[in-house]
Amino acid sequence: MEKEYTQEALQLLQALIRIPSVSRDEEKAADYMVAWMEGHGMRPRRHGNNLWLTDPDYDERRPTLMLNAHIDTVKPVSSWTRDPYGGELEGDRLYGLGSNDCGGGLVTLLQVYRHLITTARDYNLLYVVSAEEEVSGANGFSSVLPLLPHIDVALVGEPTGMQPAVAERGLMVLDVVSHGISGHAARGEGKNAIVAALKDLEWLSSYRFGKESELLGPTTMQVTVIHAGTQHNVVPDRCEMVVDVRTNERYTNEEVLSFIQNHVESEVKARSTRLQPSHIAADHPLVRRCVELGLKPFGSPTLSDQALMPFTSLKMGPGESARSHSADEYICISEISAAFELYLKLLETLNIER
């Protein structure tokens, strides 16, 4: 059984690699997955380029476990030495854009769903393919969430070396603007917005939030872009900064935003607060079962669709995060096979509470 499921997963992934599916352009890949599912007796539903399969024995009285992975990829970098859409097999490796992030998790979790719906369980299964994950797009997971049944916990198939990521950083991008008054530089007129911004720049660069995480470390702020001035002899009346904020699970994005706004003189606006940090409790049945299997929980610095999930979630999938978004990306066939087996050990005896 394992060999057959792995071979089918490999063939599906190879076909998907050969269909470009950069974020916001996943239609053809979604079409292929729909046809594949229907050809294997499944009845997928679709919203945009998001797909989902509901448990054929769905019972609203039972808790629901969602299996999730994304169909989109980043754009290929210029340093690829292979065809990013070639799907080349070389020994144990399958090369191609999206093979590792997160095609391996995508096809493996689909096969896990196909197997588990044939077994007796005390929970419902839901398999969700999300679009626009790489850009946290409005037409991705958040758009399909209102159409899904109630979800109690999710397993997200991002590449983690099949170790359980039990916490994940959130993200905010802040636009910080210091205001001044323009004037002639030679006359010393006006109020220099750059000088006015210096105090806030120092605070943003040096402040340390008090609540640190054992899994993720501190919440961090990095000033990454500064723009000011129009020409050498005009005192600038505006200084714009961009700040990258990575929140740990001990804060919400809204808490951090409010704190920053109250501690700087500049105007501060968040482009979005929707990409929240996430955390699953150490005593959750999924985490306990992972530990029983000898796996080691850790905190992940990288974002996934977990940031858009208003319910408990855990990230665990085949492949390695370091290969993501890199030239000559690949997934190992042995990783897919081992992941299928490990997922079944994790989920076949799982007892989820509502």
Side-chain angles (χ1 to χ4, degrees), residues 52-55 58-59 62-68 109 112-113 116-117 121-128 148-157 280 284-287 309 311-315 343-344 346-354:
W52 70 97
L53 295 165
T54 305
D55 197 321
Y58 181 83
D59 183 342
R62 300 192 302 182
T64 296
L65 166 67
M66 179 182 73
L67 308 177
N68 166 254
L109 285 175
V112 168
Y113 170 88
L116 287 180
I117 60 172
R121 286 165 287 103
D122 294 326
Y123 59 89
N124 301 308
L125 269 175
L126 178 68
Y127 174 75
V128 178
L148 302 176
H150 174 82
I151 298 167
D152 294 277
V153 64
L155 180 56
V156 180
I280 184 171
H284 190 280
L286 262 180
V287 180
M309 296 178 185
F311 41 78
T312 300
S313 60
L314 180 143
K315 183 166 67 177
Y343 278 139
L344 293 188
L346 174 65
L347 300 177
E348 282 180 325
T349 61
L350 187 65
N351 181 22
I352 306 172
E353 298 178 357
R354 294 208 74 163

Side-chain angles (χ1 to χ4, degrees), residues 245-289:
V245 180
R246 304 286 172 155
T247 44
N248 65 26
E249 81 282 7
R250 301 193 64 185
Y251 294 96
T252 66
N253 285 345
E254 291 80 4
E255 287 174 326
V256 171
L257 174 61
S258 178
F259 185 83
I260 294 171
Q261 289 171 329
N262 290 329
H263 283 77
V264 299
E265 295 180 6
S266 300
E267 175 188 353
V268 180
K269 293 183 179 179
R271 296 180 185 178
S272 171
T273 59
R274 62 198 285 263
L275 302 177
Q276 296 283 352
S278 64
H279 176 250
I280 184 171
D283 61 353
H284 190 280
L286 262 180
V287 180
R288 292 203 311 264
R289 182 64 180 140

Side-chain angles (χ1 to χ4, degrees), residues 110-140:
L110 175 57
Q111 296 294 66
V112 168
Y113 170 88
R114 288 182 63 205
H115 172 71
L116 287 180
I117 60 172
T118 66
T119 67
R121 286 165 287 103
D122 294 326
Y123 59 89
N124 301 308
L125 269 175
L126 178 68
Y127 174 75
V128 178
V129 178
S130 48
E132 298 190 7
E133 187 272 348
E134 295 289 2
V135 294
S136 301
N139 294 316

Side-chain angles (χ1 to χ4, degrees), residues 95-114:
Y95 288 91
L97 185 64
S99 56
N100 181 79
D101 184 17
C102 68
L106 181 76
V107 298
T108 306
L109 285 175
L110 175 57
Q111 296 294 66
V112 168
Y113 170 88
R114 288 182 63 205

Side-chain angles (χ1 to χ4, degrees), residues 14 82 87-95 330-333:
Q14 195 170 29
R82 303 167 179 267
E88 300 173 24
L89 273 171
E90 188 175 298
D92 189 41
R93 295 181 178 184
L94 173 62
Y95 288 91
Y330 67 89
I331 188 80
C332 295
I333 302 167

Side-chain angles (χ1 to χ4, degrees), residues 38 62 71 169 174 242 271 324:
E38 290 177 342
R62 300 192 302 182
I71 196 172
R169 284 191 179 275
L174 306 182
V242 176
R271 296 180 185 178
S324 301

